[in-house]
Amino acid sequence: MKTLTGKELAAAIRAQTETEAAAGPQPRLAVVVATDDEASLWYVRSIAKAAAGVGIACDVVDLGPEAAPERIGETLAKLSGDANVHGVMLQTPLPAGASAQQLAAAIDPRKDVDGANPLSLGRLAAGLPAFAPATAAAVLALLDHYEVELEGRRAVVVGRSTVVGKPLAHLLLDRHATVTVCHSRTRDLASVTSTAEVLVAAAGRPALIGAGHVTPGTVVIDVGTNPTDDGGLVGDVDFDAVAEVAGALTPVPGGVGPVTTALLLRHTARAANLP
């Protein structure tokens, strides 16, 4: 079984991004935060640190966990209209009563570097230029990095969120894979996932995918990031069990995650250089 780590690919993307960032005005990313969730805040800090490493300015706009949806939307709209800001991202979770999908509509699609605006998702579905959600794009980038053939192959995506599952399905279709999307109401999940040559787990449920869900030789991409009681992370795949069956498997952490952050920054650099 081959372990598909993201470290090498993420480093290559960061190097390319640093070059692109130096080619014009310094790119600036604004991350809007309205939560006190520590895991979320840790991720935002990691984005800011990574941005500094490739020459991108990163402003964290912390509105506090009690921020009203109207204030969040107004902040996103103001940042979208700021010529000095090239990328805008809304970090989740959000306060009760706030809808990420509704609020993301306030982000200018040209600055929507995490592909959250419904317009961005619609363009992606139509095969038009748009920034894909960074996590979905990271899955495809990893598959390409390890030269996993997609054309004509059976791909199964477990999870239908607008962050990963749905946009990833469109990206895989664009690469001529035959795609099935599973979700919480899929009956006999294993009977579907066992047909996959490429299986992506993105449901947010720890160890959902076990050895019985996988056919020998399958390439398995684990997008899950589920916190454990001891402060660690586990994926949606039972790594030890599936490693006995799969042909290739991403670890958690160290698989999709590093590539996601690297691509978010590359999107920002490219947004800064849009004509």
Side-chain angles (χ1 to χ4, degrees):
M1 197 277 298
K2 185 173 184 179
T3 301
L4 309 181
T5 64
K7 183 178 179 180
E8 179 182 301
L9 173 58
I13 294 171
R14 287 195 300 271
Q16 181 185 35
T17 299
E18 187 171 12
T19 299
E20 293 183 18
Q26 184 185 30
R28 181 172 295 276
L29 171 66
V31 183
V32 176
V33 178
T35 181
D36 56 4
D37 178 77
E38 185 51 41
S40 180
L41 296 176
W42 178 90
Y43 177 59
V44 170
R45 289 193 296 269
S46 72
I47 291 173
K49 181 179 179 180
V54 296
I56 293 176
C58 182
D59 300 330
V60 177
V61 183
D62 190 348
L63 302 180
E66 305 299 327
E70 294 77 14
R71 186 183 178 205
I72 299 171
E74 290 168 359
T75 301
L76 293 170
K78 181 179 179 180
L79 291 168
S80 290
D82 188 337
N84 294 314
V85 174
H86 306 102
V88 180
M89 173 183 165
L90 175 61
Q91 179 62 22
T92 56
L94 295 172
S99 165
Q101 286 180 296
Q102 291 180 2
L103 290 171
I107 303 174
D108 182 341
R110 291 167 58 87
K111 300 184 180 186
D112 184 25
V113 292
D114 204 22
N117 188 319
L119 289 175
S120 300
L121 294 169
R123 291 182 65 85
L124 190 70
L128 298 172
F131 291 117
T135 304
V139 172
L140 204 67
L142 264 174
L143 291 169
D144 285 342
H145 178 69
Y146 285 102
E147 299 181 342
V148 176
E149 180 63 38
L150 293 173
E151 185 171 346
R153 300 189 79 185
R154 295 184 301 275
V156 174
V157 179
V158 182
R160 56 177 171 176
S161 74
T162 56
V163 177
V164 185
K166 288 179 181 177
L168 178 58
H170 289 298
L171 292 173
L172 291 168
L173 284 169
D174 286 345
R175 299 293 295 276
H176 309 297
T178 299
V179 183
T180 301
V181 178
C182 299
H183 46 78
S184 60
R185 291 177 176 80
T186 298
R187 296 178 181 176
D188 193 3
L189 180 63
S191 70
V192 182
T193 59
S194 61
T195 68
E197 295 170 277
V198 176
L199 174 61
V200 182
R205 292 176 56 188
L208 173 66
I209 302 299
H213 293 82
V214 180
T215 298
T218 299
V219 176
V220 182
I221 308 295
D222 191 353
V223 182
T225 52
N226 306 292
T228 60
D229 292 339
D230 61 2
L233 285 177
V234 295
D236 288 358
V237 175
D238 183 339
F239 186 93
D240 292 338
V242 171
E244 298 292 326
V245 183
L249 174 60
T250 58
V252 175
V256 175
V259 183
T260 297
T261 302
L263 284 175
L264 180 69
L265 297 177
R266 184 165 76 179
H267 290 175
T268 303
R270 292 185 174 177
N273 289 306
L274 286 174

